[in-house]
């Protein structure tokens, strides 16, 4: 995904909703999430059967991904098989049109056939995701032989070109297959950027050939604190599970996941933390720290003072080596370098860091961090990449090409946008899905804290506080799933769903904003969750 494509908001192609969900219900149509731009119910229905066939009218690169997605869905229902031969009279026809915008589609279902037209292959893929919702949910529970789909014309396009979801695999590791399921869930919601948090104090999860101890030592946490972290108040009463937690992704794993995402029109942006959240790396290579002391991979969750030493040239040689291997694995335009929650305590006592400040005429330790960030940015630019970082990177100034991910509210994003930097809005109050979904937490799994109900996610306005000129710098939005208190994938799904449905509508739908209508449409979407075996919170629906 390039910046020009992301920043080009498709004006004129997002049609104001012709029928809201009440009209969908009145016509017998299931509710669709995220809400399409235009939905017009027609008379009759199309009957899909094992005799139906699929024709790809365009050979554009990526069309086969949409066809494969459609085939995998429908073959499990009634045995539909894709055709490679010239058969424009097929039951299901996939094609492209220059008259449609980026990621846009027209889904035209008549009693005679299904015709899907996209502005590009991604648009065709998103049409398939909508078609999934028009198939009766119970049909996914076994081959039905024949399935009736209501006749309808849907014209749709995304509001935002960056629709992100972050998964933290550093605090708790998730298998390759679980990550693939996460990507499937994203695709169903028409989300298109997977932010993969791969390194932190509690674990290093990405194989780096030039530094094997990053996974040899850094991927293994010998134990984990039990219950809520007291935030630095550790003593003999602190309880640990005394169970090692480990795991990392080989380079082959990563290539497989990146390709799996690409076939779902999802860009994978890796995050390698700098200069804080560094303890797993320092445990692997102590010379990366200010003191050279030997540490253990962190077993608790609060912020750690032990960070990368910016005064040593060896730190930058390390990061250039690491980022060289990272950029070989991930083709994304952006590489996330973290930049958040970095204490300066170690730098203040470090002769190397203080010498660096004198040499570079730096007045503060935040400027020291900015110096390090600029060096990483320059290296990544030499490899054709750009940095994205949490909003702390603003504090000492950033280059015009850096992208800011605004998490401490939207203020950082507003400041960045007004200064001409591109922004992803991801504030805690709307986007942190590790927060509780209900006020009745007694029967809920332990969570980080806070309260983020479904309705508040849905109410998120990422443009609030920005004028028309500044809005063009908002690339999109992102939901974040931090996993300190999410030890397994079933719980990850529970915390993600159904709040991701609300965020998907914020990101995709120009015609959204009616929460009661969303709740009605969501009832049909939840049936799809059940059919696909996804775990979701029903408690959240009662708030």
């Amino acid at each position: 995904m390039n910046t020009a494509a992301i920043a080009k908001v498709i004006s004129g192609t997002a049609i104001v909703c012709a029928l809201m969900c009440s009209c969908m219900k009145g016509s017998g149509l299931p509710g669709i999430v995220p809400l399409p731009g235009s939905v017009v119910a027609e008379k009759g229905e199309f009957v899909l059967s094992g005799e139906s066939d699929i024709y790809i009218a365009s050979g554009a690169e990526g069309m086969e991904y949409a066809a494969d997605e459609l085939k995998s869905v429908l073959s499990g229902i009634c045995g539909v098989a894709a055709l490679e031969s010239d058969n424009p009279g097929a039951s299901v026809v996939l094609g492209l049109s220059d008259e449609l915008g980026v990621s846009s589609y027209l889904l035209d279902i008549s009693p005679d056939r299904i015709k899907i037209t996209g502005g590009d292959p991604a648009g065709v893929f998103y049409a398939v995701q909508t078609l999934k919702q028009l198939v009766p949910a119970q049909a996914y529970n076994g081959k039905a032989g024949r399935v009736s789909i209501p006749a309808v014309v849907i014209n749709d396009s995304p509001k935002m070109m960056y629709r992100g979801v972050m998964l933290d695999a550093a605090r708790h590791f998730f298998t390759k297959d679980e990550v693939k399921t996460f990507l499937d869930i994203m695709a169903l919601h028409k989300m298109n950027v997977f932010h993969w948090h791969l390194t932190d104090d509690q674990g290093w999860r990405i194989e780096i050939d030039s530094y094997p101890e990053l996974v040899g030592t850094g991927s293994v946490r010998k134990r984990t604190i039990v219950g809520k972290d007291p935030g630095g108040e550790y003593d003999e009463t602190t309880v640990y599970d005394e169970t090692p937690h480990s795991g990392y992704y080989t380079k082959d794993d990563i290539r497989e996941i990146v390709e799996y995402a690409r076939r779902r029109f999802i860009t994978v942006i890796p995050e390698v933390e700098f200069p804080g959240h560094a303890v797993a790396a320092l445990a692997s290579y102590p010379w990366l720290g200010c003191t050279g002391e030997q540490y253990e991979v962190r077993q608790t969750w609060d912020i750690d003072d032990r960070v990368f030493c910016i005064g040593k040239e060896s730190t930058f040689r390390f990061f250039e080596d690491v980022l060289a291997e990272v950029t070989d694995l991930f083709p994304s335009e952006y590489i996330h370098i973290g930049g958040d929650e970095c204490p300066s305590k170690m730098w203040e006592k470090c002769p190397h860091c203080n010498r660096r400040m004198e040499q570079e005429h730096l007045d503060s330790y935040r400027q020291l961090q900015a110096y390090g960030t600029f060096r990483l940015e320059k290296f990544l630019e030499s490899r054709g990449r750009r940095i994205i970082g949490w909003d702390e990177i603003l504090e000492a100034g950033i280059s015009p090409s850096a992208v800011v991910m605004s998490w401490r509210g939207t203020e950082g994003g507003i400041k960045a946008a007004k200064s001409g930097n591109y922004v992803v809005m991801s504030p805690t109050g709307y986007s942190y899905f590790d927060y509780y979904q209900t006020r009745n937490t007694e029967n809920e799994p332990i969570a980080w804290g806070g309260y983020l109900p479904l309705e508040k996610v849905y109410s998120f306005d990422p443009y609030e506080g920005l004028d028309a000129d500044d809005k063009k710098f908002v690339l999109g939005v992102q939901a974040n799933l931090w996993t300190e208190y999410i030890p397994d994938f079933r719980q990850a799904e529970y915390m993600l769903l159904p709040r991701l449905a609300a965020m998907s509508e914020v990101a995709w739908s120009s015609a959204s904003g009616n929460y009661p209508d969303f709740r009605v449409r969501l009832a049909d979407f939840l049936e799809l969750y059940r059919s696909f075996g996804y775990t979701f919170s029903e408690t959240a629906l009662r708030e």
Side-chain angles (χ1 to χ4, degrees):
M1 175 185 298
N2 59 52
T3 304
I6 297 175
K8 184 182 178 184
V9 177
I10 313 162
S11 60
T13 60
I15 304 172
V16 176
C17 180
L19 297 174
M20 294 300 284
C21 85
S22 57
C23 297
M24 293 181 190
K25 290 295 181 183
S27 64
L29 292 173
I32 299 171
V33 178
L35 181 68
S38 172
V39 179
V40 179
E42 302 286 349
K43 292 182 179 179
E45 57 189 20
F46 177 83
V47 178
L48 198 65
S49 71
E51 298 176 359
S52 304
D53 45 20
I54 302 170
Y55 168 63
I56 306 175
S58 170
E61 183 182 357
M63 286 293 285
E64 68 273 21
Y65 305 153
D68 287 347
E69 174 79 355
L70 182 59
K71 181 180 176 182
S72 68
V73 172
L74 300 183
S75 62
I77 297 171
C78 54
V80 172
L83 293 179
E84 299 299 331
S85 59
D86 185 9
N87 183 16
S91 304
V92 184
V93 176
L94 310 181
L96 300 177
S97 171
D98 293 337
E99 296 181 4
L100 296 173
V102 176
S103 298
S104 302
Y105 67 87
L106 178 65
L107 174 59
D108 186 350
I109 303 175
S110 71
D112 298 323
R113 68 175 180 177
I114 297 174
K115 185 176 181 181
I116 296 174
T117 308
D120 53 17
V124 177
F125 183 85
Y126 296 135
V128 173
Q129 303 308 313
T130 298
L131 182 60
K132 283 183 182 180
Q133 298 186 57
L134 295 172
V135 173
Q138 62 269 23
Y140 292 103
N141 298 325
K143 276 195 176 179
R146 297 170 66 84
V147 174
S148 295
I149 303 175
V152 66
V153 177
I154 297 176
N155 197 327
D156 201 9
S157 59
K159 178 171 68 177
M160 296 183 142
M161 301 308 290
Y162 185 115
R163 304 181 300 280
V165 190
M166 188 280 294
L167 177 65
D168 169 21
R171 274 53 176 270
H172 281 100
F173 178 75
F174 300 97
T175 68
K176 177 177 65 177
D177 287 341
E178 288 169 340
V179 173
K180 287 181 177 180
T181 299
F182 195 88
L183 292 168
D184 288 337
I185 292 171
M186 286 183 58
L188 179 65
H189 293 79
K190 300 185 177 74
M191 306 298 276
N192 69 340
V193 180
F194 175 45
H195 173 181
W196 202 3
H197 186 79
L198 291 166
T199 74
D200 216 298
D201 295 320
Q202 296 83 10
W204 184 286
R205 307 297 178 200
I206 176 173
E207 182 179 43
I208 301 295
D209 291 338
S210 52
Y211 296 95
E213 282 307 306
L214 288 172
V215 294
T217 297
S219 71
V220 183
R221 182 169 70 242
K222 76 176 186 180
R223 61 182 186 174
T224 302
I225 191 170
V226 174
K228 290 289 287 187
D229 193 312
E233 301 297 324
Y234 310 113
D235 55 29
E236 65 278 359
T237 65
T238 304
V239 178
Y240 298 87
D241 61 12
E242 305 304 336
T243 302
H245 182 85
S246 63
Y248 67 92
Y249 304 100
T250 68
K251 288 192 168 182
D252 284 342
D253 290 337
I254 290 170
R255 293 185 188 100
E256 187 176 333
I257 288 169
V258 168
E259 175 62 15
Y260 192 88
R262 187 174 76 91
R263 296 181 70 89
R264 285 149 184 80
F265 298 92
I266 295 172
T267 298
V268 184
I269 296 179
E271 180 177 355
V272 178
E273 284 271 15
F274 173 87
H277 294 276
V279 176
L282 303 188
S284 306
Y285 295 98
W287 48 266
L288 289 168
C290 289
T291 66
E293 292 177 77
Q294 180 64 61
Y295 303 134
E296 290 185 325
V297 176
R298 191 169 179 83
Q299 302 155 14
T300 54
W301 306 128
D302 61 314
I303 298 171
D304 202 295
D305 293 332
R306 298 168 292 180
V307 300
F308 290 107
C309 180
I310 295 181
K312 299 177 183 176
E313 281 301 303
S314 54
T315 301
F316 293 99
R317 286 194 295 270
F318 167 83
F319 266 97
E320 289 181 4
D321 292 340
V322 167
L323 292 174
E325 295 191 37
V326 168
T327 52
D328 285 343
L329 287 169
F330 295 92
S332 56
E333 177 185 8
Y334 298 114
I335 303 296
H336 205 300
I337 54 92
D340 60 311
E341 298 177 328
C342 185
S344 61
K345 181 177 179 179
M346 302 300 288
W347 297 340
E348 293 165 14
K349 299 183 292 185
C350 175
H352 305 287
C353 291
N354 283 286
R355 187 178 307 116
R356 175 80 72 188
M357 291 183 66
E358 292 176 7
Q359 293 169 345
E360 300 296 331
H361 309 291
L362 305 176
D363 296 326
S364 71
Y365 293 102
R366 290 283 71 85
Q367 288 183 354
L368 180 66
Q369 178 175 344
Y371 164 85
T373 301
F374 282 132
R375 286 193 59 170
L376 265 58
E377 181 177 24
K378 185 175 180 181
F379 175 77
L380 286 169
E381 285 177 347
S382 74
R383 300 182 70 84
R385 310 304 178 88
R386 299 175 62 183
I387 68 163
I388 184 169
W390 302 106
D391 56 50
E392 283 93 334
I393 67 174
L394 280 167
E395 291 177 2
I398 56 172
S399 74
S401 63
V403 176
V404 173
M405 189 165 279
S406 188
W407 74 279
R408 297 178 300 175
T410 58
E411 292 80 8
I414 292 170
K415 177 182 177 182
K418 288 185 177 298
S419 66
N421 286 88
Y422 286 107
V423 174
V424 175
M425 291 296 194
S426 189
T428 57
Y430 297 95
S431 303
Y432 271 46
F433 288 5
D434 54 329
Y435 285 13
Y436 284 107
Q437 303 178 75
T438 174
R439 293 191 188 278
N440 182 19
T441 61
E442 183 178 348
N443 297 316
E444 290 291 292
I446 188 172
W448 183 262
Y451 171 54
L452 180 55
L454 184 67
E455 185 173 7
K456 187 171 183 184
V457 177
Y458 192 81
S459 71
F460 180 29
D461 178 5
Y463 296 124
E464 186 177 2
L466 293 169
D467 60 30
D469 289 336
D470 298 330
K471 287 179 182 179
K472 65 186 178 183
F473 291 105
V474 179
L475 299 179
V477 298
Q478 181 170 290
N480 296 321
L481 194 62
W482 299 103
T483 64
E484 287 93 337
Y485 299 110
I486 301 178
D488 57 61
F489 191 70
R490 182 178 175 85
Q491 189 170 331
E493 287 183 338
Y494 180 86
M495 299 300 285
L496 190 67
L497 305 175
R499 288 186 289 191
L500 185 60
M503 184 61 76
S504 75
E505 196 143 303
V506 171
W508 180 275
S509 303
S510 295
S512 63
N514 188 319
Y515 183 69
D517 282 347
F518 168 74
R519 285 294 301 267
V520 174
R521 285 181 286 111
L522 183 62
D524 289 321
F525 206 41
L526 298 181
E527 291 304 314
L528 207 59
Y529 288 170
R530 291 187 179 97
S531 295
F532 292 163
Y534 299 148
T535 302
F536 63 92
S537 170
E538 297 193 51
T539 303
L541 302 170
R542 295 193 287 270
E543 289 294 291

